Amino acid sequence: MALNLQFIEQEIIDQFIYDESSRPWIVGFSGGKDSTMLLQVVWRALRKIDPVILNQRRIYIVCNDTMVENPRIVKFIKKTLERIQIAAREEGMPITVHETTPQLEDSFWVRLIGLGYPAPNRFVRWCTERLKINPTTQFIKEKIGEQGEAIILLGTRSAESANRAKSIAKHERKGKRLRKHQLPSAWVFAPIKDVTTNEVWQYLNQVPPPWGGTHKELVTLYRNANAGDCPLVIDETTPSCGSSRFGCWTCTVVNKDKSMEGLIENGEEWMQPLSEIRDFLVETRDNPEQYRDRRRRNGEIKENIWGPYLFKTRAEILRRILVAQKEIQKEERAELITQQELVLIQYHWFRDSFFEIKVSDIFNEVFRNNIDMSKQEEKQREEEELLSKSCKEEPLDLKFIMDGLALQKTKTLLMRKRGLQADLENRLDQLINEIKEAKQ
C-alpha cells in the first residue's frame, strides 16, 4: 500500500499524547468515504494509547442531519452511528455519538413553506448556514464552554477538489499540525488531508471498520449513485457539495441531483417523487411571476425584486410533500416533514394572514383514511355556529374573532404567547382595509 498509514496514525497519537491540555476532540462524521476513513484511522490510533491516558480526553463524533437528507443515506448513516456507539462502549473508548439538527424555526420546510423563502440558488444559499453551520457550531461552542478549547478533526482532503485544496492551503500554518478555526478557542486537525481518492478507496476496501461489518454497503451506495459525499460543514470556508454528491434531496443549488438520479436508475425507484418535488422547487424559483409575490416580507415593492412565495405556492408544495410521503412510506420508513414543522408552518400562515387554507386541511386531504378529526371538527363547527348567531349582522366581526382564536391556539401550541397582541392588531388592520376596499 502506497498510503503511509503508520505515519498518519503516529501523527494522531502524538497529537493526543503530547497535547498538554485535555481539550476534547470533535470528529466530524458525514457517513461518506472521507469521514469514514478519518474516523477509522483515528480509532485504530486510539487503540494504541494507554487506557489511562486515553480516558483523560473526551471524543465526540458529530453528525449533522439537515432534516432533508437523502432518506436512503439517512438510513445507512443511522445504522452506522448505532454500530459505532455500541463498539465504543464495548471497547471502553471515551467516544460518544451526537447528531445535530437545525432549530425548528430554521428548518428547510418552515422557512420555505411557512415563511415563503424561495428555493436556494448559487447566489442566495440561505439554507447552508441555518441547516448545517449553525447546528454544528452550537455544539462546538457548548464543548468549548465546558473545556475552554476544542480540536475539530475533519476528513477534508486536498485531492478532493481544487477549491478544497485552496481552502486547506489558505488556513493551514506551515509546519504546524493544527490550524486555527474561525471560532475562538477552536482548532482544526485534518490527518488525511494529503491522502488521494484512490488511496481512500484502497484503504476502505482492505481494512474493515472497527465498529464491525464491512464497507460493502458504502461502496455500493457510491457506485449506484456515482457520487461523492457532502463534508461536515462547520463554517463558510468548507467547500459546498458538488453536482453528484450525497446531501439534501431538496438541493436546488445544483442543476441536477446526479446522486439521486443514479440511485433511482439502480433500483431505488421509490425516490422518484422526491426528484419530482425537487424539480418543482426549481420551477417555482425560476418563474417568480407565477409563483412569488410582488410584495416583499417588509411590505416593499421593488422593480425586478420578488418577494416570498404566494400562499397558493406554499400550499401546493406542502401538498406535494405529503403526497410523496404517503407514497414512499409504502416502501421505506421515511418522514419528509415532521409534525412539529407542520405546527410551525401553520403558525406562520396565520401570522401572514393566510386563513383560507389550513395545514390540517391539506394533511387530511392526503391522509384522510389515516386521521380521524371528526371530534375536533365538530367542536369547531359548534363554536362557529354560536359565534355566527352573535355576529349575524357583522360577518367581518365573526371572521376576525375566528382568525384571532386561530392565532391564539397556534401560540398555545408553540407555548409562546409573545407577539399575540401585535398579530391580532395586524389582522384587525387588514380586515379594516378589506372593508374600505369593499366599500370603494
Side-chain angles (χ1 to χ4, degrees):
M1 222 177 184
L3 177 63
N4 193 339
L5 277 175
Q6 287 186 337
F7 175 79
I8 295 175
E9 288 181 7
Q10 193 58 51
E11 282 274 287
I12 295 168
I13 293 169
D14 289 349
Q15 178 59 47
F16 193 98
I17 292 177
Y18 298 116
D19 186 357
E20 295 179 357
S21 70
S22 60
R23 50 190 172 181
W25 280 15
I26 300 173
V27 183
F29 184 77
S30 68
K33 66 183 191 306
D34 296 337
S35 64
T36 299
M37 180 181 180
L38 168 70
L39 179 56
Q40 193 161 315
V41 295
V42 167
W43 195 303
R44 288 168 59 89
L46 295 179
R47 281 176 169 173
K48 299 176 182 179
I49 298 174
D50 184 282
V52 176
I53 299 174
L54 183 63
N55 283 284
Q56 291 177 1
R57 189 188 311 276
R58 298 301 308 168
I59 300 164
Y60 305 100
I61 298 173
V62 182
C63 184
N64 179 239
D65 180 3
T66 62
M67 298 172 66
V68 282
E69 298 293 320
N70 184 306
R72 180 66 184 84
I73 311 305
V74 169
K75 183 179 178 180
F76 167 72
I77 291 174
K78 287 190 179 298
K79 185 167 60 176
T80 303
L81 292 175
E82 287 175 6
R83 287 178 175 172
I84 290 169
Q85 189 61 81
I86 292 171
R89 194 180 304 119
E90 290 176 349
E91 289 194 31
M93 291 277 196
I95 292 175
T96 51
V97 174
H98 304 266
E99 285 189 86
T100 60
T101 56
Q103 293 286 329
L104 182 60
E105 57 267 29
D106 282 339
S107 82
F108 186 82
W109 296 126
V110 168
R111 289 281 158 177
L112 188 133
I113 301 174
L115 289 165
Y117 279 38
N121 59 28
R122 289 189 301 118
F123 307 104
V124 183
R125 198 179 297 179
W126 53 264
C127 51
T128 302
E129 183 176 1
R130 291 179 172 87
L131 305 187
K132 296 183 176 183
I133 297 176
N134 290 348
T136 309
T137 297
Q138 181 59 36
F139 181 87
I140 295 171
K141 284 182 175 178
E142 288 174 5
K143 298 310 167 190
I144 292 174
E146 294 171 6
Q147 301 290 333
E149 285 189 324
I151 297 178
I152 306 162
L153 283 76
L154 298 177
T156 49
R157 296 183 303 108
S158 299
E160 187 69 7
S161 69
N163 288 339
R164 193 164 299 184
K166 287 180 183 177
S167 177
I168 292 174
K170 179 180 177 182
H171 295 92
E172 72 178 349
R173 301 188 304 167
K174 268 201 167 178
K176 299 290 185 180
R177 193 177 287 135
L178 306 181
R179 62 178 170 87
K180 193 72 183 73
H181 185 262
Q182 65 182 33
L183 282 176
S185 304
W187 303 84
V188 175
F189 182 20
I192 65 169
K193 67 182 177 65
D194 296 321
V195 177
T196 67
T197 300
N198 286 338
E199 288 171 339
V200 171
W201 284 121
Q202 188 179 9
Y203 176 80
L204 295 177
N205 279 312
Q206 293 185 12
V207 185
W211 46 87
T214 69
H215 292 304
K216 183 178 178 181
E217 187 175 359
L218 176 64
V219 173
T220 301
L221 279 173
Y222 271 85
R223 184 183 296 118
N224 287 347
N226 186 29
D229 56 301
C230 286
L232 183 78
V233 180
I234 58 172
D235 55 45
E236 294 178 354
T237 66
T238 308
S240 62
C241 302
S243 61
S244 63
R245 296 180 183 278
F246 293 134
C248 304
W249 67 267
T250 56
C251 185
T252 52
V253 175
V254 297
N255 294 325
K256 280 189 174 184
D257 189 338
K258 295 180 183 177
S259 65
M260 183 151 59
E261 289 179 358
L263 288 171
I264 293 170
E265 290 172 4
N266 286 280
E268 306 281 356
E269 292 92 350
W270 60 270
M271 292 176 60
Q272 184 61 41
L274 305 188
S275 180
E276 292 170 359
I277 290 175
R278 181 204 165 275
D279 291 343
F280 181 66
L281 292 180
V282 173
E283 181 185 336
T284 61
R285 183 198 64 196
D286 295 346
N287 296 281
E289 65 283 347
Q290 183 178 352
Y291 296 104
R292 291 171 63 182
D293 201 337
R294 295 290 309 181
R295 192 180 299 275
R296 305 179 76 189
R297 290 198 63 83
N298 61 6
E300 293 181 353
I301 299 178
K302 290 188 177 181
E303 190 175 353
N304 298 323
I305 298 179
W306 291 86
Y309 281 138
L310 296 166
F311 286 116
K312 66 176 184 179
T313 307
R314 304 189 210 179
E316 176 60 19
I317 294 171
L318 177 58
R319 188 189 68 79
R320 291 184 181 224
I321 293 167
L322 293 174
V323 168
Q325 181 163 297
K326 182 180 180 181
E327 182 64 26
I328 69 174
Q329 283 179 346
K330 296 174 184 177
E331 301 287 337
E332 291 284 328
R333 289 185 178 180
E335 187 177 48
L336 304 183
I337 188 167
T338 67
Q339 294 290 328
Q340 293 89 342
E341 287 177 295
L342 293 175
V343 170
L344 194 49
I345 287 169
Q346 182 63 80
Y347 165 72
H348 286 302
W349 283 9
F350 282 158
R351 287 209 68 179
D352 286 351
S353 301
F354 183 45
F355 295 92
E356 285 70 23
I357 302 175
K358 295 184 177 65
V359 169
S360 58
D361 295 335
I362 302 171
F363 188 95
N364 289 333
E365 175 193 339
V366 176
F367 292 96
R368 55 183 176 274
N369 295 327
N370 300 65
I371 303 296
D372 180 14
M373 297 288 289
S374 55
K375 291 183 179 179
Q376 290 86 340
E377 289 172 354
E378 184 179 343
K379 184 177 180 181
Q380 185 174 345
R381 281 195 297 271
E382 289 176 359
E383 289 178 355
E384 289 178 2
E385 288 174 5
L386 288 171
L387 284 168
S388 62
K389 289 177 182 178
S390 302
C391 306
K392 58 185 177 182
E393 295 182 3
E394 296 292 343
L396 281 174
D397 287 356
L398 171 63
K399 183 170 178 56
F400 173 68
I401 293 171
M402 293 304 298
D403 291 351
L405 286 172
L407 281 168
Q408 194 275 335
K409 286 176 182 177
T410 308
K411 288 280 188 179
T412 302
L413 282 171
L414 291 171
M415 294 185 290
R416 180 168 55 187
K417 299 293 180 63
R418 186 183 301 171
L420 177 59
Q421 181 177 345
D423 291 345
L424 291 172
E425 289 175 354
N426 289 336
R427 185 56 186 149
L428 181 59
D429 289 341
Q430 289 170 349
L431 283 170
I432 292 172
N433 289 332
E434 288 176 19
I435 295 171
K436 289 179 180 178
E437 290 175 2
K439 287 182 177 179
Q440 289 176 355

